Amino acid sequence: MSGFPLAALHRAARDRPPPGPTVERCDMCAAELDGGHRHLVDLLDRRIMCACHPCRLLFADDHTHQRYRAVPDRHLRLAGPVLDGRAWDELQIPVGLAFLFHNSAREQPVACYPGPAGATESDLDLGAWDRITAAHPVLATLRPDVEALLVRRGADAYLVPIDACYELTGRLRTRWRGFDGGREAHAEVDAFFARIDGLSRPERRTP
């Protein structure tokens, strides 16, 4: 009898079906998610969370004081050069790729620079940011924490969901080589911006 439990375990292990593909689940309620699910931002931990539609709706109001906030799906290609060389210098952005958003925990706009260690965050010069926002009023509509201005020096600028920016950051972390990222990282950025451009509608500016 002492060998019976062990034999049963061996049979259970032998008869267990092979593991299937990993199933993504909602980080709030553990419901199974499909491939087109959306996200929340954890404002305390600055973490992107997967969410089912019902859970996401609970946090869709930006004006409520909650720990979580739903990420929208607005993609805009901004009209004209948003950041020229002078603006890059005034904002003190030291690299050629960044995303800018309003951090409500710090009550100010910040810039993040994707790189081999993830996204490095720094403060923006508020006077310079105010001048750029005055020239491009759509930037005043950026929803805090969940939307960002994604910019690459010498290229178009986009208003995008914040999860897209962290997706790009994650992709670059796995492909970064050497000091400037290398050929593979540059190709990844090109492909990512091409995809964002395809998702974006042009900004309509009032003359």
Side-chain angles (χ1 to χ4, degrees):
M1 294 295 293
S2 62
F4 177 76
L6 185 59
L9 288 174
H10 281 309
R11 285 196 302 273
R14 183 186 64 230
D15 298 337
R16 182 181 302 160
T22 302
V23 175
E24 286 192 283
R25 296 192 177 276
C26 174
D27 287 324
M28 301 296 291
C29 71
E32 186 173 335
L33 299 172
D34 59 30
H37 69 269
R38 305 286 292 283
H39 297 100
L40 302 172
V41 172
D42 182 334
L43 303 183
L44 184 61
D45 295 337
R46 304 303 312 170
R47 182 168 61 100
I48 301 293
M49 302 171 60
C50 298
C52 64
H53 184 64
C55 286
R56 184 178 172 278
L57 288 179
L58 294 174
F59 306 102
D61 187 351
D62 292 345
H63 301 291
T64 58
H65 297 287
Q66 301 184 93
R67 174 172 174 172
Y68 307 100
R69 189 165 292 168
V71 178
D73 191 33
R74 183 167 59 150
H75 293 75
L76 285 179
R77 184 189 313 109
L78 302 191
V82 177
L83 300 185
D84 56 17
R86 178 184 175 185
W88 281 87
D89 294 338
E90 287 182 340
L91 291 173
Q92 301 177 33
I93 299 176
V95 295
L97 174 65
F99 59 95
L100 291 63
F101 69 97
H102 187 87
N103 186 323
S104 60
R106 301 177 62 181
E107 299 184 343
Q108 68 177 63
V110 297
C112 289
Y113 318 123
T120 301
E121 184 174 306
S122 70
D123 296 341
L124 289 173
D125 180 280
L126 298 183
W129 177 249
D130 288 344
R131 288 190 292 274
I132 292 167
T133 301
H136 301 276
V138 68
L139 297 180
T141 72
L142 279 172
R143 295 170 62 180
D145 305 296
V146 293
E147 288 187 321
L149 171 65
L150 177 63
V151 289
R152 182 165 55 158
R153 194 155 192 163
D156 288 335
Y158 299 86
L159 190 159
V160 298
I162 195 75
D163 54 0
C165 300
Y166 286 112
E167 177 190 349
L168 175 59
T169 300
R171 289 174 178 271
L172 288 180
R173 284 190 67 180
T174 63
R175 290 164 173 78
W176 196 278
R177 300 292 184 274
F179 178 74
D180 67 347
R183 182 180 302 174
E184 189 175 355
H186 292 173
E188 185 67 41
V189 172
D190 290 340
F192 187 85
F193 269 79
R195 179 163 67 86
I196 290 296
D197 190 75
L199 292 172
S200 299
R201 58 183 176 85
E203 174 197 359
R204 293 183 179 179
R205 300 192 66 175
T206 302

